[in-house]
């Protein structure tokens, strides 16, 4: 079961320094983020801040059948949603993206494409 828009908003406000957003990514944004992925090419992708998996699903739709997607999320509620996506190419990771190298080594990945959105809230000084 996915988060409702209200649940997403509440979780985002509760952890606004982690999430950097108060709304899920729109279909238009998801399409723009994945427009350059070619399903005919074998990619390894790392997605930072996968949230509840909205963009993740678009990446998987365009990912080669032999590709892999390392999806990082540090918010437990969001990760629970992400982990429910059933796709053998998805490796849902409840850990910080700073540990990317560890997971690349585990999966024997030497190169990849990064996917992330810069949060405008990162530019505010910590309180």
């Amino acid at each position: 079961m996915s988060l409702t828009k209200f649940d997403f908003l509440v979780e985002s406000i509760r952890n606004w320094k982690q999430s950097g957003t108060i709304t899920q990514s729109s279909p238009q944004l998801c399409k723009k983020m994945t427009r350059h992925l070619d399903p005919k090419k074998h990619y390894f992708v790392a997605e930072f801040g996968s949230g509840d998996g909205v963009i993740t699903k678009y990446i998987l739709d365009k990912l080669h059948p032999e590709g892999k997607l390392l999806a990082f999320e540090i918010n437990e509620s969001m990760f629970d949603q992400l982990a429910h996506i059933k796709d053998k190419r998805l490796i849902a990771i409840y850990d910080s993206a700073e540990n990317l190298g560890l997971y690349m080594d585990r999966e024997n990945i030497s190169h990849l494409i990064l996917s992330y959105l810069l949060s405008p809230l990162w530019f505010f000084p910590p309180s």
Side-chain angles (χ1 to χ4, degrees):
M1 183 171 131
S2 63
L3 293 174
T4 65
K5 288 182 182 186
F6 180 75
D7 291 337
F8 189 94
L9 172 66
V10 169
E11 189 61 34
S12 295
I13 291 171
R14 184 179 300 136
N15 297 293
W16 70 272
K17 287 184 181 181
Q18 283 181 355
S19 67
T21 186
I22 57 170
T23 184
Q24 293 169 314
S25 298
S26 70
Q28 294 84 358
L29 175 62
C30 293
K31 287 175 187 173
K32 275 195 163 196
M33 291 283 297
T34 59
R35 73 182 178 272
H36 295 294
L37 286 178
D38 181 352
K40 295 177 186 155
K41 294 185 178 176
H42 189 155
Y43 293 119
F44 296 111
V45 179
E47 181 187 23
F48 298 160
S50 301
D52 62 350
V54 172
I55 295 177
T56 307
K57 292 173 188 172
Y58 279 81
I59 293 171
L60 289 168
D61 284 345
K62 300 211 52 193
L63 193 62
H64 187 277
E66 298 301 316
K68 291 262 187 227
L69 171 55
L70 305 177
F72 288 83
E73 182 52 53
I74 59 173
N75 178 288
E76 187 175 5
S77 295
M78 298 290 184
F79 177 78
D80 288 344
Q81 299 301 307
L82 180 67
H84 279 91
I85 298 173
K86 301 298 180 210
D87 191 305
K88 68 179 178 102
R89 301 167 299 165
L90 174 64
I91 301 167
I93 301 169
Y94 182 54
D95 198 358
S96 174
E98 68 188 317
N99 295 316
L100 172 64
L102 171 73
Y103 294 96
M104 287 178 67
D105 289 345
R106 278 188 194 165
E107 296 298 322
N108 200 26
I109 297 171
S110 61
H111 60 282
L112 49 74
I113 298 170
L114 296 178
S115 172
Y116 61 92
L117 288 174
L118 272 180
S119 167
L121 295 179
W122 289 354
F123 297 104
F124 289 104
S127 52

